[in-house]
Amino acid sequence: MLSRLSIRDIVLIERLDIDCAPGLSVLTGETGAGKSILLDAFALALGGRGDASLVRQGAEQGQVTAAFDIEPDHPAVALIAGTGIDTQDGLILRRVQLADGRTRAFVNDEPVSVQVLKSLGSALVEIHGQHDDRALVDVASHRQLLDAYAGLEANAAAVARLWAERRTAEEAVAAHRARVEQARREADWLRHAVEELTRLKPETGEESTLAEKRTAMMQFDKIAEDLRDAHDAVAGDKSPISTLSSAMRRLDRRRAQSPALVEPAVKALDAALTALDDARAHLDAALRAANHDPRELDRIEERLFALRRSGMTDRRVSN
């Protein structure tokens, strides 16, 4: 599957190109020959963690390119599907390591995220060694290895599809049950509200009417004293009505002696007495209205509380 590995300016390697022929390829060498450097460079191209120390001393950047020949049904093709990257001629993974620590990743010369490169690398290559992070000892990969060995990939895919369909169906059933439970709770509330409304027999607009009346009654106590003071000033012991009436009668008796002088004053006094009488009548009416029974306010508040508790206030009911 790996057809070519190209390394530029990585650790001690200035330039290296390795072409892999069909079949088994083996790289051997004594300790310190550079096998680990090749493996680290290869891992970088597969999406491994980058490091500025990988760049050869004196170079601004290093680069590793790994070319793969793959079949159309290879899992890596499915991973790259939807990105618009053409895989007809295989896959070329390229990783650029900059001296400042940043890296850039490419697939078939198209920029991709490191995560995409790592996913493709995992699908293309398995590295087996004595370390726990190698694929051979990764428990998550054992089932796939067994399925591949037994030729059961198609069956495994079918089971996975059926399992996904089952989970989707279970989620749908759970959602339906939740909606039924919600509808049941709403129905219970509606039945309770209907029972309360039937018992209370509310009238159209009753709540707003009672609320306005309660507000007015609560205000009455604040203005009743001022109304009584005004009424005393107009019709009480200190009322000017008696004095003005007496003065008007005396002037009226003098009207014949000097009508031009007296008549305007008599008319003005008469108008003033009429206005005072109207004011007294309005004040009497206002005091009668303000003189409410405190128990009536309690009854209004109890009725309002009962109406609102039973559902007269707004409430959304889901369909």
Side-chain angles (χ1 to χ4, degrees):
M1 293 174 57
L2 176 64
S3 60
R4 185 179 179 87
L5 179 65
S6 298
I7 304 173
R8 301 289 186 271
D9 294 318
I10 295 295
V11 191
L12 301 175
I13 300 174
E14 179 179 2
R15 181 185 183 93
L16 177 65
D17 294 309
I18 300 176
D19 291 315
C20 299
L24 176 65
S25 298
V26 179
L27 295 176
T28 62
E30 61 185 10
T31 301
K35 300 186 298 298
S36 297
I37 296 177
L38 292 178
L39 188 61
D40 291 341
F42 191 30
L44 184 66
L46 299 176
R49 184 176 181 179
D51 194 305
S53 62
L54 293 173
V55 180
R56 188 173 65 89
Q57 186 175 5
E60 295 182 357
Q61 66 179 36
Q63 177 176 281
V64 183
T65 303
F68 295 88
D69 293 329
I70 59 174
E71 298 296 331
D73 59 349
H74 193 280
V77 176
L79 288 174
I80 205 68
T83 62
I85 298 177
D86 184 12
T87 59
Q88 185 175 358
D89 295 328
L91 282 175
I92 300 176
L93 310 186
R94 181 163 62 94
R95 186 82 173 277
V96 177
Q97 173 67 62
L98 302 175
D100 61 5
R102 294 179 296 119
T103 66
R104 294 200 294 262
F106 302 86
V107 175
N108 290 0
D109 283 333
E110 296 288 341
V112 297
S113 67
V114 175
Q115 188 59 43
V116 170
L117 197 68
K118 187 174 182 179
S119 298
L120 288 174
S122 298
L124 290 166
V125 177
E126 290 184 1
I127 300 177
H128 305 293
Q130 71 269 34
H131 303 293
D132 291 339
D133 61 344
R134 300 311 185 187
L136 187 61
V137 293
D138 184 0
V139 176
S141 67
H142 290 173
R143 189 180 64 191
Q144 288 82 1
L145 292 173
L146 289 173
D147 289 339
Y149 180 76
L152 299 176
E153 291 96 334
N155 301 75
V159 171
R161 184 181 65 258
L162 292 173
W163 176 253
E165 292 175 357
R166 175 181 173 176
R167 292 192 62 181
T168 301
E170 289 177 343
E171 291 173 357
V173 170
H176 283 301
R177 287 175 176 168
R179 287 194 291 270
V180 169
E181 179 62 21
Q182 178 66 19
R184 186 190 64 77
R185 289 195 298 267
E186 294 290 355
D188 290 342
W189 179 85
L190 287 172
R191 280 191 290 269
H192 171 73
V194 168
E195 291 174 358
E196 286 288 314
L197 293 174
T198 301
R199 179 179 60 82
L200 291 171
K201 297 181 180 179
E203 299 177 358
T204 303
E206 181 182 6
E207 182 182 353
S208 59
T209 301
L210 290 175
E212 293 173 0
K213 188 174 181 180
R214 181 186 63 174
T215 301
M217 292 177 71
M218 293 174 67
Q219 295 295 328
F220 286 162
D221 293 337
K222 299 179 181 179
I223 63 175
E225 184 175 353
D226 292 336
L227 286 173
R228 284 190 291 269
D229 290 343
H231 188 273
D232 288 342
V234 173
D237 295 337
K238 297 181 180 181
S239 171
I241 294 178
S242 178
T243 303
L244 292 175
S245 298
S246 177
M248 188 181 71
R249 287 193 298 271
R250 290 197 303 270
L251 287 174
D252 191 47
R253 288 194 296 269
R254 302 291 184 180
R255 182 183 300 182
Q257 298 174 8
S258 180
L261 183 63
V262 174
E263 187 170 349
V266 171
K267 289 182 178 180
L269 287 171
D270 184 60
L273 288 170
T274 301
L276 286 171
D277 189 60
D278 289 342
R280 180 181 55 78
H282 288 304
L283 289 168
D284 286 340
L287 284 171
R288 286 194 299 271
N291 186 25
H292 63 83
D293 183 357
R295 292 175 296 181
E296 177 65 16
L297 180 59
D298 292 337
R299 287 193 292 269
I300 289 175
E301 290 185 337
E302 290 176 1
R303 178 68 174 174
L304 278 173
F305 177 76
L307 290 173
R308 291 170 177 172
R309 182 184 59 188
S310 65
M312 293 295 289
T313 53
D314 291 340
R315 171 171 171 148
R316 292 185 179 272
V317 179
S318 60
N319 294 327

